[in-house]
Every structure is written in structure tokens, then in C-alpha cells.
Amino acid sequence: MDTRAFKRSLHHSDRYNRRGFGLGEEVAGSLEQAYQSNLIANLRENGYQLSHGRLNVKLAEAFGFCWGVERAVAMAYETRRHYPTERIWITNEIIHNPSVNDHLREMDVLFIPVEKGVKDFSGIASGDVVILPAFGATVQEMQLLNERGCHIVDTTCPWVSKVWNTVEKHKKHDITSIIHGKVKHEETLATSSFAGTYLVVLDLAEAQLVCDYILGKGDRESFMARFAKACSPGFDPDRDLNRVGVANQTTMLKSETEEIGRMFERTMLQRFGPVELNDHFVAFNTICDATQERQDAMFALVDEPLDLMVVIGGYNSSNTTHLQEIAITRGIRSFHIDTPERIGPGNRIEHKPLGADLEVVEPFLPDGPLRVGITSGASTPDRVVEDIISRLIDLADA
């Protein structure tokens, strides 16, 4: 499929909108009431710190809603205002935050049902309005919705679209896209749908396996067994790993994406030599600025003397998970929670350790003076951060 031609055609359709409806002022009050926080605004003005009794809170200097998320949520609110009576659907969560998605459900926005990991579009009819979320949708989903006669409101973050453009360049030049991402994540699924030949690697360990294979150190059968669900149909490692380009899910750990790029560059240099390197390896910078800023701020925060860290964001939020990773690598006692209700009743917390199921810790806050670091993922409203700080204050005072 010529995905570039399809996008051009879709973008010229009178049933497609990616710019909003000019109703920003009309929805501003609702957005402010639902998501903004005077307490957080005051903390920003006070050096990102708050002292209350024995509790000292230190906020990361970049956290919470990014521009792409703000844009997506505002467009969803505008869509409901512009289409007051039509049925409105979202192909997935608008962003990975439960409170934001619950607000949209309260506005009678419908979510595409998912059965055993497969979306069921059978309930969508011609004339329905369908919102594409901030992390995008697959080209196949867009095609289905267009052919069904739906009105499409596209809130895809421009940084995600930038990655799509990158893998389309790879495809044009018969280059295999090495996508650093989580193979089942909606953004990676969307990106791979715009690619030609692709292979998804989760981390440095998987990237190393691929590089070893390129250098003749791997076994084809075990390689294909490992990556069977992470590659394009008909993928042949002996053929398709001769020319590669690196792209990424925009919310991955920046330093890891950069190291994976260097790893593949060294590998192709070793195999093909400096004269032919540019024929076998290409790299484009597709790291999201907001993701980078939040990770940089987290690295600065964990250099502070902290007794514990609270990381706030949806459990399926990739960028939040990577913030948690940074705290763990520094040996800081860290808790990832998605809503304020995870704290209490009493001195307890229900949190999600990295790579594990939810667990309850009681007692949560130790006695004595306490220094708590706080950050939140790009899909987390300031109001949620305020509510969690308020609960921490109440606990410390108890």
C-alpha cells in the first residue's frame, strides 16, 4: 500500500480534520477546571518545592501534560462541542491516563471495544465521528474508517507523525526499519503499519541479538522464534538486515534509543567498512522533545537527596514507565501510581513495581523528616498531581 498517497488523499477529504474546530476559547474553562491546579502553579513559582511540617516535596522541573497531549485532549473536547448529537468514538484511549478517559466517557464519548486484543469496529456506522488518539492509529484503521464514511478527527501528535515519515523514507529506499519500541503498544503498531520491512526491538539486549546476527553470530531458527511477532510479514533476517535504519516509539528512554542507534552503526561499520557504511545504515532523530525534557528533569531530580520517589501516570504509559526506570537505577525507593486513590486509607499505598503486578505496601511513609521526589508522565494532568500531594500531606500530618 502506498501510505503516503493514502495520507494525502485522506487529508484532502472533507470528512477529515486534524486542526480542531476553532473552539479553543469555548472549551478552555472545562479543561482548566478538569485538569489544571493552582497548587502546582504555585510550586512552579516556588522553585518546584513545597515544605509542610516534616514533609519536603520536590517536583521535577518538567513533568505532566506535554503539548501533544494538551492538543489531543482539547481537540477531543472541541469535537464533542462541534458534534453535540452525533455518536463519537475513540479508536483507543485518547491518552494513557484513566482520569482523562473517564472524563470523556462522562461526555458520552464511546471507546472502540477490544476483545482478546482485537478491536471491534462493527458498531461504527457511516456518519459517526471517530477520534484518532495522540499516539495515532494504524493505516488500516484509518482506511476502514474512511471507507465506512466516518468523520475522522485526527489528534495524532506531530512527533509521532514525524516517525511515520521516517519509516516511509526507509520504505522508499528499501531500508529495513529497526523500531525501538514495545511491539504491542498502540504507537508502535501504528508506526509499523506505515513501514515497509521492519523489526521491533524492545531494549539493548534485543538490539544486541540483532547486531550479533548481522555479524554472523546468531542462529536463524532461534532468531525467528524470538522475533516472530515483532517483524513484518515475510521477514528474512539474511536478506532484510543488510540495510537498516533506526526509528523509535517516541516515549522510549532517550539514552537507550541513542545507544541502539550507535550499536547498529558500529555493527554495519564492522561488517561493511567505512566506505559502504552510508549504503547500509541511516539514522534520523525521532526522539520526542517532551519525552527528552521529562527524562532530563528526572535525571536531575534523582541527583537530589531523596527518601522516596512517587511517579504518577497510567500503568500502560510507556513514558511514565521509563521515568520509573530512572529512579530504580539510582536505587531510590520508588512507587508508580496512576490515581490519588492508590494512597490510603491509612499509611498504605497500592503501586505497580516495574515489570510486576500491583502490590500494597504498609506502612508507606516512614517516621521523621521526609524528602519526597515527584514526577508525572506526559499524560498526567496537574490536578492529579495536586491530589496526590494533598494525600501525602495528610499522611505526613497524621
Side-chain angles (χ1 to χ4, degrees):
M1 179 182 181
D2 187 340
T3 53
R4 282 176 177 259
F6 170 73
K7 283 194 300 182
R8 284 194 299 269
S9 173
L10 182 64
H11 292 176
H12 285 93
S13 168
D14 58 5
R15 291 184 285 103
Y16 174 86
N17 184 304
R18 59 173 173 165
R19 299 184 182 278
F21 299 96
L23 302 174
E25 292 185 5
E26 294 185 32
V27 302
S30 298
L31 292 168
E32 181 176 355
Q33 183 178 0
Y35 305 121
Q36 294 184 16
S37 158
N38 290 331
L39 173 66
I40 299 305
N42 290 336
L43 261 68
R44 284 190 170 101
E45 293 177 359
N46 193 41
Y48 297 86
Q49 296 189 65
L50 178 149
S51 293
H52 180 95
R54 69 187 185 95
L55 184 68
N56 184 273
V57 171
K58 176 69 175 178
L59 276 174
E61 293 192 8
F63 66 95
F65 270 11
C66 63
W67 174 83
V69 163
E70 288 181 348
R71 171 181 173 272
V73 175
M75 285 181 67
Y77 274 61
E78 284 191 35
T79 301
R80 178 77 283 175
R81 185 67 63 93
H82 185 76
Y83 295 103
T85 59
E86 287 84 351
R87 288 202 309 172
I88 299 177
W89 302 80
I90 294 181
T91 60
N92 208 294
E93 296 179 333
I94 186 71
I95 57 174
H96 287 147
N97 183 271
S99 64
V100 176
N101 291 298
D102 286 345
H103 283 153
L104 293 178
R105 290 186 178 95
E106 292 167 3
M107 295 160 57
D108 292 327
V109 175
L110 305 170
F111 287 67
I112 303 294
V114 180
E115 293 290 337
K116 297 181 180 179
V118 179
K119 296 178 187 177
D120 180 5
F121 288 89
S122 60
I124 296 179
S126 176
D128 284 357
V129 180
V130 183
I131 300 173
L132 310 184
F135 35 75
T138 68
V139 68
Q140 291 82 9
E141 290 174 351
M142 295 183 201
Q143 190 175 30
L144 181 153
L145 296 170
N146 185 52
E147 291 174 351
R148 196 164 293 185
C150 297
H151 297 275
I152 298 173
V153 180
D154 188 354
T155 78
T156 302
C157 175
W159 279 100
V160 175
S161 299
K162 180 181 177 182
V163 181
W164 296 352
N165 292 336
T166 294
V167 297
E168 285 180 321
K169 289 177 184 176
H170 293 169
K171 178 169 59 177
K172 181 179 179 181
H173 297 287
D174 295 321
I175 293 169
T176 295
S177 297
I178 304 294
I179 303 171
H180 176 213
K182 299 177 179 179
V183 69
K184 293 182 179 180
H185 191 281
E186 297 88 343
E187 183 186 327
T188 294
L189 290 171
T191 296
S192 62
S193 76
F194 285 91
T197 305
Y198 68 85
L199 181 70
V200 180
V201 296
L202 175 63
D203 50 25
L204 288 169
E206 287 198 348
Q208 187 63 61
L209 287 174
V210 179
C211 289
D212 287 345
Y213 193 90
I214 291 172
L215 296 175
K217 302 175 185 177
D219 173 74
R220 180 187 174 93
E221 186 175 345
S222 60
F223 181 94
M224 290 307 299
R226 175 68 176 262
F227 293 103
K229 297 181 179 180
C231 61
S232 50
F235 185 86
D236 181 346
D238 297 315
R239 177 194 65 208
D240 297 326
L241 292 176
N242 285 319
R243 304 181 73 225
V244 302
V246 176
N248 70 300
Q249 182 182 313
T250 59
T251 53
M252 300 301 281
L253 193 62
K254 169 199 170 188
S255 57
E256 190 170 46
T257 293
E258 291 176 334
E259 180 54 35
I260 286 172
R262 289 191 291 268
M263 185 183 297
F264 276 95
E265 184 175 24
R266 290 193 300 267
T267 297
M268 303 312 264
L269 178 64
Q270 183 176 342
R271 178 171 176 186
F272 296 103
V275 175
E276 296 186 35
L277 176 62
N278 290 340
D279 291 330
H280 296 274
F281 174 78
V282 295
F284 298 95
N285 179 13
T286 58
I287 296 171
C288 166
D289 278 353
T291 297
Q292 179 177 333
E293 289 169 359
R294 281 148 186 74
Q295 290 174 6
D296 290 345
M298 184 63 166
F299 278 114
L301 182 58
V302 296
D303 282 339
E304 305 260 350
L306 299 173
D307 297 302
L308 62 90
M309 174 74 68
V310 178
V311 178
I312 308 163
Y315 293 136
N316 55 349
S317 167
S318 177
N319 76 88
T320 306
T321 301
H322 292 304
L323 296 175
Q324 172 81 329
E325 285 180 7
I326 293 171
I328 291 172
T329 59
R330 296 299 180 91
I332 299 172
R333 187 169 177 246
S334 184
F335 301 89
H336 178 187
I337 61 176
D338 59 346
T339 65
E341 289 73 25
R342 300 293 183 184
I343 298 175
N347 190 15
R348 72 192 291 274
I349 187 169
E350 183 180 41
H351 74 116
K352 191 176 187 306
L354 192 65
D357 295 328
L358 286 169
E359 70 174 32
V360 173
V361 172
E362 189 173 7
F364 164 41
L365 295 185
D367 295 331
L370 198 56
R371 300 162 300 186
V372 179
I374 293 182
T375 192
S376 60
S379 298
T380 304
D382 283 359
R383 180 62 58 85
V384 172
V385 180
E386 174 187 327
D387 291 345
I388 287 171
I389 291 175
S390 296
R391 290 194 176 221
L392 291 173
I393 289 173
D394 290 343
L395 268 187
D397 285 347

